[in-house]
């Protein structure tokens, strides 16, 4: 297995960008971002090959990585790709099986399966000429037979392995003496856990809460241990409305602090700052009551602090308040033979310890030269969270989670395709470095716990607008500012972006009419002036 075997000939028409042979793009990962990147690059005429270490697609939604009852953190309308919505029969919050089936349908519909090499883990990526200016050499190893490797060359590479590629397992002392099982939250679905009676979950994020609730529902002794709680929100508001369909909007984002602000946000976060404070104060008071959060699990800092790690839960707090789950706020000192020992010396017996301790991004396959271009001082150094300024043939898509990951990944894929095809001019390297520095300064103040770089999180419309402006595309996606700001920020608004980009290249793009607040203000001023002048 060697060379570029397995790469299919390009199927899209590139006559508007390049009449030569299709340029080769290697994509690492076949989760949501990898699939949508492959689809968009094919539409832009590139020769695409995707490497996936699992036996099936899906990334975090792969069969081997999902626990029972896992659901999307947002509703099907928001956790969706722009031009391929979920079937009407899908649950309001899709379960893992529904997400995985939908991604499989997406891959089949857009002809992506022949482009994917399953059971192939990328173990090395380096620049052909050392720095990557002439393309890349990639080595993939079979996960079935470790003696089987393939070597490939690509003009460009997009890394889509994401923020959840490698489970983070803290190295706690005494593990070798523990007689029970230890599993990461993504790995405890193994049949060996079926007969356990006592479950201890470490962590307080959404996955940890889900695992503790599962154990309680299965009639097991369930204990959750955590150092500090995280903000959670209910899936449904009073009356049954799905909460994210109200909260994921441009209006809500007016209240978050972002380093790039239009005039209305400058006004709100300047003279209108008390309004912002009041809004978050009320929300910080309402959410614990709506969820029934005991004082032990209410974060010390009110929103928006901690908004980046917010999750949606089902029945965890109900089970906790019914004493089906025990919650202990403490650090874990380590293991002993029958369970875990806390910082204060308390010992909790366990047959199974589930680590809801999060994930880490794996870049071990990058050469030293490429790694130095991607990370600076231990933090990601990427323009628009995508492109290393010093290496403009390598991109990262979907690496920084948002509230609507499919949308941000899809717009990021369009941005990267425009960049690699030469249809979008990039600023000078020095200017890109300055932009990264500006965002870094903000991130260190706003999200100091993000150890490896900026977090896109709830700033979805701000981020998408930046990418759209770079591509010369209009940022308003509806007919008027009321719909634009008060309506849910839905991926479907961007369903025609591919056609718009093609029309822009052909010089035939027609701008859709948009009634902005400034238009309304100008009209009111004009009417007032006319009335005054006619009196």
């Amino acid at each position: 297995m060697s060379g570029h075997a397995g790469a299919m000939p390009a199927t899209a028409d590139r006559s508007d960008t390049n009449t030569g042979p299709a340029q080769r793009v290697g994509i690492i990962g076949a989760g949501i971002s990898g699939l949508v990147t492959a689809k968009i690059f094919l539409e832009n005429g590139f020769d695409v090959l995707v490497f996936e270490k699992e036996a099936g697609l899906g990334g975090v939604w792969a069969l081997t990585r999902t626990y029972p009852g896992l659901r999307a953190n947002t509703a099907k309308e928001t956790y969706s790709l722009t031009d391929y919505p979920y079937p009407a029969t899908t649950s309001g919050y899709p379960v893992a099986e529904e997400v995985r089936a939908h991604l499989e349908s997406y891959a089949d519909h857009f002809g992506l399966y022949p482009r994917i090499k399953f059971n192939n883990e990328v173990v090395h990526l380096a620049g052909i000429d050392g720095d990557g200016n002439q393309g890349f050499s990639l080595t993939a190893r079979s996960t079935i037979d470790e003696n089987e490797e393939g070597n490939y060359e690509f003009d460009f590479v997009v890394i889509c392995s994401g923020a959840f590629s490698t489970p983070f397992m803290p190295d706690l002392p005494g593990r070798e003496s523990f007689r029970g099982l230890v599993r990461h939250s993504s790995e405890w679905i193994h049949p060996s856990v079926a007969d356990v009676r006592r479950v201890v979950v470490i962590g307080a994020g959404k996955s940890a809460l889900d695992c503790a609730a599962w154990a309680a529902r299965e009639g097991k002794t369930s204990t959750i241990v955590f150092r500090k709680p995280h903000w959670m929100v209910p899936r449904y508001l009073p009356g049954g409305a799905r909460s994210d369909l109200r909260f994921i909007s441009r209006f809500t984002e007016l209240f978050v602090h972002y380093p790039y602000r239009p005039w209305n946000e400058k006004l709100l976060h300047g003279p209108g700052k008390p309004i912002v404070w009041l809004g978050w104060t009320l929300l910080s008071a309402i959410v614990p009551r709506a969820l029934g959060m005991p004082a032990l699990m209410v974060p010390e800092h009110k929103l928006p602090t901690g908004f980046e790690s917010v999750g949606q839960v089902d029945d965890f707090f109900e089970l906790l308040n019914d004493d089906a789950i025990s919650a202990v706020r403490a650090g874990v000192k380590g293991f002993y033979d029958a369970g875990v020992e806390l910082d204060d010396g308390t010992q909790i017996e366990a047959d199974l310890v589930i680590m809801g301790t999060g994930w880490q991004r794996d870049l071990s396959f990058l050469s030293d030269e490429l790694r130095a271009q991607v990370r600076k001082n231990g933090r990601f150094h990427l323009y628009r969270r995508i492109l290393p300024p010093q290496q403009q043939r390598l991109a990262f898509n979907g690496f920084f989670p948002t509230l609507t990951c499919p949308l941000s990944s899809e717009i990021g894929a369009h941005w990267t395709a425009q960049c690699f095809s030469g249809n979008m001019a990039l600023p000078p390297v020095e200017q890109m470095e300055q932009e990264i520095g500006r965002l870094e300064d903000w991130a260190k103040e706003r999200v100091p716990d993000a150890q490896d770089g900026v977090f896109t999180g709830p700033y979805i419309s701000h981020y998408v607008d930046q990418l759209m402006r770079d591509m010369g595309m209009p940022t308003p996606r509806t007919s008027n500012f009321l719909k634009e700001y008060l309506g849910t920020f839905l991926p479907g608004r961007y369903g025609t972006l591919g056609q718009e980009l093609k029309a822009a290249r052909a010089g035939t793009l027609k701008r859709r009419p948009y009634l902005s607040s400034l238009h309304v203000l100008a009209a009111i001023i004009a009417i007032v002036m006319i009335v005054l002048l006619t009196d």
Side-chain angles (χ1 to χ4, degrees):
M1 185 171 70
S2 62
H4 198 60
M8 304 289 288
T11 57
D13 178 15
R14 296 189 74 225
S15 59
D16 60 331
T17 57
N18 189 352
T19 57
Q23 293 183 298
R24 296 165 297 173
V25 177
I27 297 173
I28 301 175
I32 290 176
S33 61
L35 293 174
V36 73
T37 299
K39 180 249 190 187
I40 287 170
F41 268 78
L42 284 170
E43 291 176 343
N44 280 270
F46 289 89
D47 182 13
V48 171
L49 187 60
V50 182
F51 297 88
E52 172 53 55
K53 65 182 179 181
E54 300 285 346
L57 54 76
V60 294
W61 299 104
L63 181 61
T64 55
R65 302 180 69 187
T66 53
Y67 51 80
L70 175 62
R71 288 181 180 272
N73 215 18
T74 54
K76 63 182 178 182
E77 292 87 351
T78 52
Y79 198 79
S80 174
L81 296 160
T82 67
D83 57 355
Y84 202 74
Y86 281 93
T89 54
T90 304
S91 307
Y93 290 97
V95 296
E97 294 79 4
E98 291 174 315
V99 176
R100 188 164 53 248
H102 187 58
L103 293 177
E104 291 169 350
S105 174
Y106 179 88
D108 183 60
H109 180 79
F110 291 108
L112 303 182
Y113 273 108
R115 305 282 179 166
I116 306 173
K117 294 186 71 65
F118 292 106
N119 297 309
N120 271 260
E121 181 177 8
V122 175
V123 294
H124 190 64
L125 180 68
I128 291 174
D129 58 348
D131 59 11
N133 289 329
Q134 299 300 319
F136 303 92
S137 62
L138 182 151
T139 302
R141 179 180 299 152
S142 170
T143 56
I144 299 174
D145 181 359
E146 64 179 16
N147 295 316
E148 185 178 355
E149 288 188 352
N151 299 307
Y152 306 81
E153 291 188 356
F154 295 100
D155 299 294
F156 304 95
V157 169
V158 186
I159 299 175
C160 299
S161 50
F164 310 112
S165 57
T166 304
F168 173 67
M169 297 282 282
D171 186 18
L172 296 174
R175 179 170 174 177
E176 66 281 356
S177 66
F178 177 50
R179 297 193 300 264
L181 301 171
V182 180
R183 296 284 187 270
H184 187 264
S185 59
S186 65
E187 301 169 329
W188 63 273
I189 57 174
H190 193 277
S192 61
V193 310
D195 297 329
V196 301
R197 295 182 298 106
R198 300 164 299 181
V199 177
V200 171
V201 181
I202 299 176
K206 178 184 181 297
S207 296
L209 271 58
D210 283 348
C211 293
W214 163 83
R217 288 193 298 270
E218 291 292 314
K220 305 178 188 299
T221 301
S222 177
T223 304
I224 187 167
V225 179
F226 58 95
R227 287 186 181 276
K228 62 179 182 179
H230 298 292
W231 279 108
M232 297 289 151
V233 296
R235 290 192 185 276
Y236 297 93
L237 299 173
R242 281 171 280 169
S243 61
D244 62 300
L245 296 182
R246 299 292 181 268
F247 292 141
I248 299 180
S249 69
R250 288 190 182 275
F251 177 77
T252 300
E253 280 196 48
L254 290 175
F255 289 80
V256 299
H257 180 277
Y258 198 70
Y260 307 91
R261 302 184 200 169
W263 68 270
N264 53 350
E265 291 183 36
K266 290 179 180 178
L267 186 65
L268 184 61
H269 289 267
K273 196 171 184 178
I275 299 175
V276 176
W277 176 87
L278 180 61
W280 288 117
T281 299
L282 289 174
L283 190 62
S284 299
I286 292 170
V287 166
R289 289 181 173 84
L291 277 175
M293 297 171 69
L296 182 72
M297 299 204 71
V298 177
E300 289 88 352
H301 301 288
K302 73 174 187 294
L303 292 166
T305 301
F307 195 46
E308 292 78 17
S309 57
V310 70
Q312 289 187 313
V313 292
D314 294 306
D315 57 351
F316 170 84
F317 290 106
E318 295 175 17
L319 292 166
L320 179 63
N321 292 327
D322 289 340
D323 296 325
I325 299 173
S326 298
V328 180
R329 187 167 182 177
V332 178
K333 183 178 181 180
F335 290 92
Y336 71 106
D337 60 346
V340 296
E341 183 176 350
L342 308 185
D343 286 345
D344 62 2
T346 301
Q347 293 183 332
I348 304 176
E349 294 184 350
D351 305 308
L352 168 66
V353 175
I354 299 174
M355 296 289 191
T357 46
W359 302 80
Q360 54 192 350
R361 299 169 177 87
D362 181 17
L363 295 180
S364 60
F365 57 87
L366 290 183
S367 68
D368 291 340
E369 293 82 1
L370 292 182
R371 197 178 299 118
Q373 293 171 333
V374 170
R375 293 178 72 96
K376 306 286 186 182
N377 300 317
R379 296 170 72 87
F380 280 95
H381 195 75
L382 304 172
Y383 180 66
R384 298 294 193 244
R385 286 93 147 176
I386 296 174
L387 196 72
Q390 301 290 341
Q391 175 46 263
Q392 298 178 16
R393 288 175 172 265
L394 176 67
F396 293 77
N397 192 26
F399 237 63
F400 300 95
T402 70
L403 293 178
T404 55
C405 290
L407 173 60
S408 54
S409 294
E410 190 162 351
I411 305 301
H414 279 296
W415 188 95
T416 307
Q418 295 303 299
C419 175
F420 286 177
S421 63
N423 290 317
M424 183 183 73
L426 289 169
V429 170
E430 182 179 356
Q431 185 176 334
M432 286 193 279
E433 297 279 2
Q434 291 173 350
E435 286 291 299
I436 294 172
R438 181 182 179 186
L439 197 61
E440 271 287 280
D441 291 342
W442 166 82
K444 288 176 181 178
E445 177 184 351
R446 178 69 186 85
V447 200
D449 293 337
Q451 299 178 356
D452 56 2
V454 298
F455 189 96
T456 311
Y459 314 102
I460 177 64
S461 71
H462 288 82
Y463 179 57
V464 166
D465 283 352
Q466 284 182 310
L467 301 184
M468 292 289 285
R469 283 191 291 266
D470 289 347
M471 293 185 287
M473 292 290 102
T475 55
R477 307 300 295 179
T478 60
S479 60
N480 63 77
F481 73 97
L482 291 176
K483 287 183 179 180
E484 190 73 22
Y485 277 85
L486 300 183
T488 306
F489 192 71
L490 294 172
R493 294 181 177 185
Y494 298 84
T496 60
L497 181 55
Q499 296 95 307
E500 292 174 47
L501 288 165
K502 188 171 183 179
R505 293 196 296 269
T508 59
L509 178 64
K510 295 181 179 179
R511 301 280 175 167
R512 66 185 75 185
Y514 177 72
L515 180 65
S516 71
S517 56
L518 289 177
H519 289 141
V520 174
L521 180 60
I524 292 173
I525 293 173
I527 292 171
V528 171
M529 292 297 292
I530 291 172
V531 171
L532 291 175
L533 290 173
T534 54
D535 277 350

